Amino acid sequence: MPAVFVLLWSTGFIGARLVLPYSEPLTFLALRFALTTVIFLPLVWWSRARWPSTPAQAGHAAVSGLLLHGVYLGGVFSAIEAGMPAGIAALIVGLQPLVTALAVGPLLGERVSARQWLGLVLGFGGVAMVLGDRLAPSADLLFEGFGLGAVLATGAALLGITAGTLYQKRFCGGLDPRPGAVIQFSAATVAMGALALLTGEDGTIAWTAEFLFGLAWLVVVLSVGAVTLLMVMIRMGEAARVASLFYLVPPVTALVAWALFNETLGTLALTGMGVAVLGVLLVIRSGRR
């Protein structure tokens, strides 16, 4: 399950590359979340999945969806739209496993062992190495081309994915992921639609074949497949261990980009992949201490 999740989640960045030239970011996210909701509704009916028994449970699912989908993806897309290079945004959001590890103790009562801390640090170092080749040419111009808004948006994305993971683990553990997804994506749809209007997006979409393929991929493979796996893994495992899997996303994304778009992989990137994998293995295979 973790291997399939990492592979599917990594293709999200490739899908974004396909659709963003043809749609504004918040408009696209609202459309993506709405279509995902429509897909999950018949799945809930067909499987006779149990809906939340109380308004409080439904409310928890809505909050989780706003954090995991709305704040995280909205922040990343907005930062890139504001001029922040995708590599820098990925590096900032890549702090998520470390931030999660800091929070799981006081919030969830989970203990992170010394070996797991070592793995988390190694994982982030590996991510930085994978992205290092792309960041190096612009290292002297790191903060040029985008302003404080892009930095704040990326910070919001980091907090959103971290808080969403912890909130899902704490309050939504007993919720069936299928009706939970309907509530989560419905809340995210409303939020992204409202933000698109408030920020002046006109909702224009160029319905090209490339856009339609990217949209279908991001809805079915990412929002339905990968997100469902994420919800199941959060429910079954420790938050810090699940979060550590995100360290594998940049290396796998780099491999996919190399295969599809012939993007080069330098020695630093290849070494970083090995370091990131080692870090994740330390976190996953280390028992509680």
Side-chain angles (χ1 to χ4, degrees):
M1 189 183 300
V4 174
F5 165 75
V6 170
L7 179 60
L8 296 184
W9 194 271
S10 299
T11 63
F13 296 93
I14 306 301
R17 177 171 175 168
L18 295 176
V19 301
L20 282 180
Y22 307 105
S23 174
E24 294 172 298
L26 300 181
T27 297
F28 170 75
L29 288 176
L31 175 62
R32 171 182 170 180
F33 297 154
L35 291 176
T36 305
T37 304
V38 171
I39 291 176
F40 267 108
L41 278 171
L43 292 177
V44 174
W45 174 82
W46 177 77
S47 63
R48 299 182 180 180
R50 183 179 178 182
W51 289 89
S53 58
T54 65
Q57 284 185 329
H60 287 316
V63 172
S64 175
L66 289 173
L67 292 171
L68 286 170
H69 309 310
V71 178
Y72 168 59
L73 288 176
V76 170
F77 276 52
S78 297
I80 295 174
E81 179 74 8
M84 176 176 283
I88 297 176
L91 189 60
I92 295 174
V93 177
L95 290 168
Q96 186 245 342
L98 288 174
V99 178
T100 300
L102 289 172
V104 291
L107 294 180
L108 300 180
E110 295 181 7
R111 185 177 181 181
V112 181
S113 69
R115 287 184 64 187
Q116 287 176 314
W117 275 114
L118 175 61
L120 290 167
V121 173
L122 282 175
F124 179 73
V127 170
M129 293 169 69
V130 170
L131 299 174
D133 288 339
R134 297 181 182 180
L135 297 181
S138 60
D140 295 334
L141 306 173
L142 188 59
F143 295 105
E144 291 191 13
F146 60 91
L148 180 61
V151 177
L152 293 177
T154 312
L158 170 61
L159 294 177
I161 188 67
T162 303
T165 300
L166 296 172
Y167 197 95
Q168 178 74 20
K169 179 68 175 179
R170 175 67 177 83
F171 295 105
C172 304
L175 181 63
D176 189 298
R178 291 160 294 185
V182 172
I183 298 171
Q184 289 177 337
F185 283 108
S186 296
T189 299
V190 173
M192 289 299 100
L195 282 176
L197 292 174
L198 290 174
T199 56
E201 292 190 3
D202 59 14
T204 300
I205 296 175
W207 297 93
T208 65
E210 189 174 22
F211 174 84
L212 290 173
F213 175 80
L215 174 63
W217 184 271
L218 290 173
V219 169
V220 177
V221 176
L222 269 294
S223 292
V224 176
V227 171
T228 299
L229 287 175
L230 177 61
M231 297 300 104
V232 173
M233 289 190 299
I234 291 174
R235 183 176 180 177
M236 295 174 58
E238 296 177 4
R241 294 188 182 189
V242 174
S244 70
L245 295 173
F246 285 94
Y247 280 150
L248 298 178
V249 172
V252 175
T253 300
L255 287 174
V256 175
W258 169 75
L260 296 180
F261 304 113
N262 200 30
E263 294 186 3
T264 59
L265 291 171
T267 303
L268 184 63
L270 293 172
T271 304
M273 291 181 189
V275 174
V277 171
L278 176 61
V280 173
L281 288 175
L282 281 174
V283 174
I284 293 177
R285 294 188 177 182
S286 296
R288 294 183 180 180
R289 296 185 184 275

